[in-house]
Amino acid sequence: MPSSGSGEKAVLDLLADVAAYSISQADERYLAFPDTGDSVAAVLATIVGTFLNQNLIAFDRSAPAGSVIEEQVIRWLRDLVGFPPAGPPTLGTLGGMWSSGGNMSNHIAVLVALSTKWPEIRRSGLFGLERRPVLILASGVEHFSYLGAAQALGLGAESLVWAQAGSDFRTDAAALAATLEALPDDVEPFMVVGIAGNCRTTAIDDLSAIADIAKRSGLWFHVDACHGGSLLFSDKLSPALAGIERADSVSLDPHKGLFTPYSCSYALFKNPADLARMARYPDRLADADMLDLGLVTPFYGSRGFESLRLWALIHHLGREGIGALVEARQTTFQELQAVVSSHRSLRMIASSDFYRCAFVFLPVSVRAAAAQALTVEGGAARVAAIVSEYTARCCDLLYRSGQLVFDIFTLRDLNNALGCGSDVRLQVMGMAVGHPGVSDSLSSHIQRMLDAAEEALAAEMNQRLLESSVGNAGAQVALGPAGW
Ligand SMILES: Cc1ncc(COP(=O)(O)O)c(C=O)c1O
């Protein structure tokens, strides 16, 4: 800690230095996450909101305009999802809250679902329950927030019951129903999770089919629309999320695919009374003069005017304008996906409904050696390990060049695209396209970068595959930056 200050000019220089060492997710060559966060209106609102420095914990003496604006944003989002209109603006009819991210929104949804089924938990905790509460979700496509929520809320990891995901990387509704049927007697299900755009391939579940199962079994239906939520702005693309309106809770992440800077996420509840159960002073819920959001926002105390940025974006472009950008991004994604899926050094593992796909480094020149290696005993594991290793190296090479960024993460090859089995976990590169449009030269730039990576790695990889037919190739498993 400096003991004496260095003055304004030095601080400005320091900030410039910080910027120089920061990654621009809005750069068109950044294709790891869709979080461009570059809506001019939303960036401006972030600056203004910071200057205003409102505390959204309370209305009076803290954030009068901020509370009303957040309430309005929640109303708009509820409308977008297809939830019934909230009543007059009181804490009891709010039916949603801002949160710092999808991870937190999912925690809040699990908490509210749990407290709705067993309201006594708020007084006596989980100890009084006769059977272990469990939630059901598909394995292989899940986000870690559900495990995190189970651990943080005292349910424990064993409260997650896994259903099989399909080869299309969606929750398999039939497998989900069978999992529910087969639950042991000592557990009690309370929640089913559907995913509108999973974190690895952005495949969108058949939400109506999952809603049918949840409703038939009297279970809370949560839809994780952190990625897919942006499609709701487009009349053309929103049908992919049909059934979301039947959810009991929905998480949305405008700071992912909606051009909004961090932190911007929302947890919405169809029945506002479910969230209102969290109220610190239940007798104030219907009070028309009371919009102290901090009384019904679990996990949060003081917090800033975060909703201003999404509010400004919506005012700037309107629902139609945002929808047009989301549709344009879809086209851009499809163009860039065609570039990577046709490049001779890559093999697609999962293509997607929208802005993300996953692939491995497997140049045409090594495929004969890979096929040969697969024929020997233990060959599948070795090929998977070598492909994973070179995929990670390719991704790292591109990243360290500073010229092209893909994501790296682990993915079960549910469709057995590599021929090593559908249980095998691979390291894959992910391409996520957040931009509505990119320059014409980006496609050729990507091709050139991939050509160079192939030049650097293919011969060595081929040699490793040839050796693996006779010896142990060794496995290296590294997780990507998001730890998937
Ligand atoms: C499907 C899904 N849900 C939730 C999250 C968590 O979101 P956040 O990183 O905003 O906390 C992610 C993050 O990638 C995700 O992909």
Side-chain angles (χ1 to χ4, degrees):
M1 184 188 289
S3 52
S4 53
S6 47
E8 287 165 14
K9 167 78 176 65
V11 169
L12 282 177
D13 289 346
L14 278 175
L15 292 178
D17 226 21
V18 171
Y21 284 92
S22 299
I23 290 169
S24 169
Q25 297 194 61
D27 192 292
E28 67 169 11
R29 295 162 303 171
Y30 182 89
L31 297 166
F33 296 114
D35 317 11
T36 60
D38 57 350
S39 148
V40 173
V43 169
L44 187 61
T46 305
I47 296 167
V48 172
T50 306
F51 272 110
L52 296 177
N53 199 32
Q54 303 289 282
N55 188 344
L56 273 275
I57 196 169
F59 186 99
D60 286 322
R61 285 167 287 279
S62 286
S67 305
V68 173
I69 283 174
E70 184 153 306
E71 189 264 342
Q72 186 171 58
V73 169
I74 290 168
R75 239 168 227 276
W76 288 343
L77 294 178
R78 286 179 60 86
D79 186 43
L80 199 66
V81 161
F83 280 177
T90 65
L91 289 180
T93 58
L94 206 55
M97 63 177 276
W98 168 91
S99 96
S100 51
N103 181 55
M104 181 54 97
S105 292
N106 289 340
H107 275 61
I108 293 162
V110 174
L111 170 72
V112 172
L114 198 60
S115 312
T116 299
K117 178 150 178 112
W118 292 284
E120 68 271 25
I121 284 179
R122 294 203 24 95
R123 184 178 38 82
S124 52
L126 297 167
F127 301 102
L129 302 184
E130 279 170 22
R131 295 189 290 168
R132 172 189 282 281
V134 294
L135 58 134
I136 294 105
L137 68 169
S139 72
V141 293
E142 81 283 1
H143 185 258
F144 57 74
S145 40
Y146 301 97
L147 175 61
Q151 290 170 329
L153 298 174
L155 293 166
E158 289 174 9
S159 282
L160 300 184
V161 174
W162 299 102
Q164 182 62 41
S167 56
D168 56 359
F169 297 86
R170 297 172 211 276
T171 304
D172 178 338
L176 191 75
T179 305
L180 266 172
E181 285 286 309
L183 284 178
D185 288 343
D186 58 347
V187 305
E188 185 157 3
F190 69 97
M191 183 182 201
V192 168
V193 178
I195 318 170
N198 74 58
C199 57
R200 296 175 175 86
T201 72
T202 56
I204 297 173
D205 285 354
D206 180 346
L207 299 178
S208 295
I210 302 175
D212 285 343
I213 295 168
K215 298 301 152 192
R216 207 166 52 230
S217 311
L219 298 176
W220 183 281
F221 177 37
H222 173 65
V223 174
D224 185 334
C226 286
H227 283 293
S230 57
L231 304 190
L232 294 170
F233 285 83
S234 151
D235 289 341
K236 194 168 129 206
L237 302 174
S238 59
L241 274 70
I244 192 170
E245 70 288 351
R246 295 172 66 196
D248 296 292
S249 55
V250 169
S251 41
L252 298 172
D253 254 12
H255 69 201
K256 293 202 194 321
L258 212 59
F259 324 111
T260 311
Y262 305 116
S263 289
C264 190
S265 180
Y266 292 86
L268 305 176
F269 298 90
K270 175 180 272 164
N271 181 1
D274 295 336
L275 178 63
R277 196 167 289 108
M278 301 294 127
R280 227 170 328 134
Y281 304 120
D283 54 318
R284 307 299 306 273
L285 282 174
D287 191 338
D289 287 332
M290 164 68 84
L291 202 58
D292 290 0
L293 301 179
L295 295 183
V296 284
T297 47
F299 295 114
Y300 288 96
S302 294
R303 66 193 173 86
F305 195 175
E306 318 287 355
S307 286
L308 189 61
R309 60 197 73 177
L310 181 57
W311 187 80
L313 167 66
I314 294 174
H315 269 293
H316 180 210
L317 297 176
R319 181 179 172 166
E320 285 173 14
I322 296 173
L325 283 186
V326 170
E327 286 169 21
R329 179 181 57 209
Q330 195 86 344
T331 308
T332 304
F333 168 69
Q334 275 148 5
E335 284 166 14
L336 295 185
Q337 182 172 238
V339 172
V340 292
S341 67
S342 61
H343 195 273
R344 63 181 189 281
S345 69
L346 303 177
R347 157 92 35 103
M348 215 35 120
I349 299 295
S351 59
S352 156
D353 294 323
F354 68 114
Y355 60 48
R356 188 193 274 271
C357 57
F359 40 85
V360 290
F361 182 71
L362 188 70
V364 168
S365 58
V366 312
R367 287 183 197 171
Q372 170 63 25
L374 276 178
T375 62
V376 301
E377 204 187 324
R382 288 198 205 126
V383 169
I386 293 173
V387 170
S388 290
E389 181 185 332
Y390 281 85
T391 298
R393 281 177 60 181
C394 172
C395 195
D396 207 47
L397 203 91
L398 299 171
Y399 172 53
R400 287 186 196 286
S401 74
Q403 296 300 317
L404 184 63
V405 188
F406 289 141
D407 196 8
I408 179 87
F409 54 94
T410 60
L411 182 69
R412 256 179 66 198
D413 186 6
L414 292 168
N415 194 28
N416 196 17
L418 206 57
C420 298
S422 55
D423 279 337
V424 163
R425 240 175 211 285
L426 301 170
Q427 287 196 71
V428 299
M429 282 182 269
M431 180 180 75
V433 178
H435 311 95
V438 292
S439 68
D440 290 342
S441 60
L442 185 62
S443 296
S444 47
H445 173 71
I446 294 173
Q447 270 157 359
R448 270 197 312 278
M449 294 302 297
L450 289 171
D451 290 348
E454 183 182 1
E455 174 81 26
L457 297 171
E460 187 192 313
M461 182 181 185
N462 197 47
Q463 189 57 32
R464 287 280 302 282
L465 284 163
L466 290 173
E467 287 164 8
S468 81
S469 299
V470 283
N472 188 346
Q476 289 183 14
V477 176
L479 295 173
W484 297 336

